Amino acid sequence: MCNKECFNTMTYSDNNEDDRIAALIDENLKRVYSDIVQEELPDRFKDLLAVLKAQDADTSSGTPKGDE
């Protein structure tokens, strides 16, 4: 039968394994995020941003698009 010390050791060991797994997941997520951040923005997103900026500029100037 397992006494209190045995139970605490098992829990400590399990916690170490959980911590190791969490650290590996954290490291891999950071690596993937870093790779994605370094990628260039696709042209279709650049085009969309340009359209949205133009619409924002039209709205800011008081001339809604289509009422010209």
Side-chain angles (χ1 to χ4, degrees):
M1 188 171 217
C2 189
N3 60 20
K4 190 174 182 178
E5 281 182 29
C6 178
F7 178 74
N8 287 339
T9 303
M10 288 176 14
T11 302
Y12 179 74
S13 177
D14 290 343
N15 286 339
N16 280 343
E17 182 69 12
D18 290 346
D19 290 344
R20 188 183 70 77
I21 291 170
L24 287 171
I25 292 170
D26 184 54
E27 181 182 320
N28 286 326
L29 287 173
K30 286 178 181 178
R31 185 178 304 123
V32 169
Y33 177 78
S34 177
D35 291 346
I36 290 172
V37 168
Q38 293 176 9
E39 290 180 6
E40 189 171 333
L41 194 62
D43 289 338
R44 63 186 180 162
F45 287 120
K46 290 178 186 178
D47 295 343
L48 177 59
L49 287 172
V51 169
L52 293 172
K53 283 181 184 180
Q55 288 176 354
D56 189 40
D58 288 344
T59 303
S60 296
S61 67
T63 310
K65 193 124 179 131
D67 289 347
E68 298 170 348

